[in-house]
Amino acid sequence: MASDDKTFGGAIAEARKAKGWSLKDLASRVLREDGDAISPQYLNDIEHDRRSPSSDRMVQQFAEALGINQDWLYYLAGRFPSDVRDKGLSQKQVSDLMVAFRGGPGRGKGG
């Protein structure tokens, strides 16, 4: 699969499998807003692109647990981190950022 075709769920599944973790193993490392772990079923839906991460916190936890560049995961999730959203960027600036990320996970911080 070309990097342009990668989805958030695909990246999560690929990284989880590379670590040899089950759905349950990864799900236990990602917490919802109430502090409880997400369910393996919810993670399965994310990996199959039937659901999206419900919060920035969840994207950050996936990045940390799996060792994936956080900015790349935000891009794959189709969103920007809160610090970028809070800057009130113009549409052109947002477009420029999206173009910069299309280079794949080797771009940006820690790629």
Side-chain angles (χ1 to χ4, degrees):
M1 174 184 292
S3 64
D4 288 348
D5 296 336
K6 188 161 291 206
T7 64
F8 182 88
I12 297 300
E14 183 178 298
R16 175 184 62 78
K17 290 172 185 175
K19 287 190 171 286
W21 291 351
S22 68
L23 286 166
K24 187 175 179 180
D25 292 333
L26 179 56
S28 70
R29 291 170 166 83
V30 179
L31 306 180
R32 298 184 321 221
E33 296 302 314
D34 64 6
D36 289 338
I38 64 172
S39 70
Q41 295 82 8
Y42 180 74
L43 175 57
N44 186 58
D45 284 348
I46 287 174
E47 287 189 358
H48 287 92
D49 298 310
R50 292 186 291 258
R51 299 184 77 171
S52 297
S54 61
S55 67
D56 286 353
R57 179 178 177 211
M58 198 173 285
V59 173
Q60 294 162 2
Q61 290 177 78
F62 278 121
E64 184 175 314
L66 295 169
I68 300 174
N69 179 300
Q70 181 176 299
D71 292 335
W72 179 237
L73 279 186
Y74 272 107
Y75 169 74
L76 292 176
R79 60 170 70 164
F80 288 105
S82 61
D83 62 331
V84 174
R85 288 192 312 263
D86 292 345
K87 291 182 181 189
L89 299 176
S90 70
Q91 186 60 42
K92 173 153 180 16
Q93 290 169 312
V94 169
S95 294
D96 291 346
L97 281 172
M98 294 301 285
V99 168
F101 277 110
R102 286 196 182 110
R107 292 240 170 143
K109 295 188 285 186

